[in-house]
Amino acid sequence: MGVALTRAAQWTTASSGTGKLEITPVNESLLKEILEFVEQFSSRHPQEAKHVFKEPLQWTTSLEASDFKTEYDISGPTVKSHETDKDGHPMLQLTPPSISVHSFSQLSKIVQLATDKRLKEVRACLEANRDPVAKMLGPSFATVEGEDSSVLRLLEKVKEGDQAKETEIKVKLIILLQQLDTQLLMPFHPPPHSVYYEFTNGCRTPPWRQVHGEICYLVIKPCDTQPLHITCSTAGVFLNGGIRQEGEENSYDRTSDVYKDLVTLLKSKSPHFAENINKQVGFHVKQVAMLIVISCWLLLLSKTPGGVGGADDFSESSSESEEDEEQSERRTESNTDLPSEYWQIQKLVKYLKGGNQTATVIALCSMRDFNLAQETCQLAIRDVGGLEVLINLLDTEEIKCKIGSLKILKEISRNSQIRRAIADLGGLQTMVKILDSPDKDLKYLAAETIANVAKFRRARRTVRQHGGIKRLVELLDCVPDSAALTEEQEKDVEVARCGALALWSCSKSTRNKEAIRKAGGIPLLARLLKSPHENMLIPVVGTLQECASERSYRIAIQTEGMIEDLVKNLNCDNHELQMHCASAIFKCAEDKRTRDLVRQCEGLQPLVTLLSQADNKQLLAATTGAIWKCSISMENVAKFQDYKALETLVGLLTDQPEEVLVNVVGALGEGAQKPANRATIRKCGGIQPLVNLLTGTNQALLVNVTKAVGACATELENMTIIDRLDGVRLLWSLLKNQNPDVQASAAWAICPCIENAKDSGEMVRSFVGGLELIVNLLKSTNKEVLASVCAAIAKIAKDEENLAVITDHGVVPMLAKLTNTTDDKLRRHLAEAIARCCMWGSNRVLFGEAGAVAPLVRYLKSKDSSVHQATAQALFQLSKDPNNCITMHDNGVVKLLLGMMGSTDEVLQEAAAGCVANIRRLALANEKARYG
Amino acid sequence: MAEMSAMNRKLIQNLAETLSKQVKHFNKTEAECLIRLFNGLLGDQSDRRVGNGLDRGKFRNILHNTFGMTDDMIMDRVFRAFDKDNDSYVSVKEWIEGLSIFLRGTLDEKIKYCFDVYDLNGDGYISREEMFHMLKNSLIRQPTEEDPDEGIKDLVEITLKKMDHDHDSRLSYADFEKAVRDENLLLEAFGTCLPDAKSILAFEQHAFQDTLER
């Protein structure tokens, strides 16, 4: 309020000290604002209100001892508050006409008890204390026009780590005071020029910047770097040129990358922040202070239209863990400001306890008139013991009381704390029993409440253990598809719908999925899937897609003809339903038959159409997932080609959440198995964003990106672009990733790159330590990694110089060590690598000495014909060494090779013949030597 | 004797025919069953002539024993609601008309019926005083409280707040009807005056199946 008082308030004399506030409309409204702020301060911020001011606020008051009541010591005309500081000095002291006050809590009280004299008191106080902030927090916080570094100063103080708690309160206090300042100043600025002004659309930027999507500007002062001038826009968050005043148009320009949210930006700009933000536990003081500053801005951001994505994400990640985790209870600490609802609800609960059926029903109906969606009311019911009574009512014979109670429980169980309390009180067991009731109202209400309560693991288990799953499945048994329903049938449908809702919640536990299946739920769900009503279809498809994580369900969805219905509902106009349908297809389309069915039911086109709903990220993630999995079948890829799906998918490679990107890239990777699509991806500008994604950290995404890049690299024109973007180096560095899936996928992608890059030998050599790195991966225990690395080594070894280097790194004994494998995929690529590596120095001999020959001969007995070709080539190379020929011969290679010489595979033919010829030649030479 | 009973049977059938046309929800056979039941209940009143019908005491016994009602005042009011001609007897026609609402009444019919039961003085409004009268035994009285009626008064206020849409401190039929339509649970807001599903089932079983088999 300091700034507001000096800048906006209209004083009679310009000099500081004893000026008077003029009686003007501006001052009038200023005073009222301050009054309101002070009045509500102690109930809104009870902790901060207790903070003892550095210096008391003193003024000449018109209050008298008789105005003070309880909580004060009154002796004659003087008054002292009961509330004292830690040294025992009273927080308020009145010696008429002078009053001195030490805390906001006392200020709040004065304003309350001064009734009609309150404005006068506030005026007197402010006139006597021209800079109240300085008095409250100390002279270092005196208001200085133009520059405000007080928070920074405090942060420094916090860094010193002394009196952490107190300083934290001080930080909060100063933030609150600054917020008041902001609020007070708002009307006094000509709207478009003020950074503070909030437009009705929620933006705090001048209109000519709003057209660029800019929402607000922040200055954040991290403790380890320069102040950051930040622009929050609809496209993301970025640094600007340092906007201080209007007119400097170029200061609005972007000077950094665009980040998806504030946290990401801060992470990249402030190492200290990055280091600490990830330490979820053990907050230390510095961080708390930083977070306070940030959270106060996030608060501001959350008010922006549509939200700056990240702000929402951030707040969610801290409070949304309730889905599965047992959340510790957060309770308001002070009971001083209980809302009036609390007392009214307490009274009603009393009537519930002590009333007969008639009184109980009246009390229940009246309770429903409260806003049960509001947490205050929900917790009030719990805190006055209402939950126990409501749950007890469920155990009575009185149907009306049960219905009334369930109608309340159904609403308040949307609150996670209430859910837990209901479960703790045994409410689930009772509600499960009610499912057997002949009364349909009771049934559906109980099922709907169970649906709300069973949002956490323990509750879902309770439902199952008390036979709830079987009963809920029974509720599904109704006839939903006749057009005109009687009133009774309509109720049956409602019962089934709520049953499906409850099963949906329960189906998040694996054992419940099993229980639903065993109770015969699948055919009933399949029948309800024919319903024409969206509100029925959403929980039904929701359950199905949840359960589709289990193989038994995927088979059932395929065999019971549900794909057709899922596809049909892709065409509806309800996004949630479309999302669940796409998600179900996503999970089921791992299976080839299902993929074919989706195509045959003409489900591919609606999926492509749904790609246009790019704003709904959940829907987009499900849709792209379904497209990805469906693309595993080449027939589907051809269809997607017709529908120009790849063109759209390429457009989704930027500015999407990771769960979308994983699927988009997965789909592109599958699509790129077809040459025409590889060209399409290039022509739509897809190569660059794909290569950019190689720098990410999400492992599922990396697996897909490497695969897609690898597929694209098989096209020479694509390879030129990848090369230019230094994509091979990025792929190579992914070999260092911890995840074997990423390693393998990167190694596979490297193969076509080496094959197609210009001067690939030179390129590979330019990666410092790269060859050693890839050779060392031969120590991996993962078969896929080994196979992919062997394949890559086979490509690398084509370059003689590189072959020499990897030989130095010991590639020969390492490859030889792997030869005993029985894995055909590894055998094939291992044989390729051995064949190539034979080309250098004495490697042939070394392979023989390392015992690689005999196992290779056995490869010829493999059932996989692709192993034969590579093996024959390796043996041909090895047979150039006489000792190897002897080993081969001893292991019966000739007979096996003779068979292969008759193969239709010419490469195989030739290699087999060459090898046999070498053996034969050796034998002849031997004979010649022996017999002359 | 056989002739008498044959004649009697003919009479009953004719009456059933007529009543099933006048009263909703029952077919001829069901009406016949209810007439027989009525006659059976009358049987003990040997000193009176058939046609007078069930007196108050008899009727209250049925409400209590068959339909599980307990509140004396409400039972009296139910009797008054059945006894449309106000002659202190429930005639066979009144019996069947009343039961048609009792057992199978639509929501509309039940709203009308309940309002009649609760409008104690029949002036077309349920007043504060009437509410208080009907609710006065609905709460356990705390002897410690200064005013033992405080809870009841409060309950009346709550009810008015919820149901008195035109804010004239009493419930007109329109108020009552709207409140019940919004929240069906309020149908019997001032006391149980309709049988519950279980008693209905038991009664119908007894009346329509057992009577026929006899």
Side-chain angles (χ1 to χ4, degrees), chain B residues 92-135:
Chain B
V92 68
K93 186 172 180 232
E94 286 166 348
W95 167 250
I96 292 184
E97 281 172 343
L99 283 179
S100 92
I101 293 166
F102 238 47
L103 303 177
R104 298 177 178 182
T106 62
L107 183 62
D108 285 329
E109 290 165 343
K110 286 180 184 167
I111 293 174
K112 177 85 186 61
Y113 160 82
C114 289
F115 187 82
D116 287 344
V117 168
Y118 299 145
D119 178 11
L120 300 180
N121 62 5
D123 67 348
Y125 294 99
I126 307 173
S127 66
R128 256 204 175 81
E129 293 70 29
E130 286 169 332
M131 288 184 207
F132 183 85
H133 196 56
M134 291 184 281
L135 293 177

Side-chain angles (χ1 to χ4, degrees), chain A residues 832-844:
Chain A
E832 273 170 22
I834 290 176
R836 285 289 171 187
C837 289
C838 281
M839 311 288 199
W840 177 254
S842 55
N843 283 359
R844 283 190 189 88

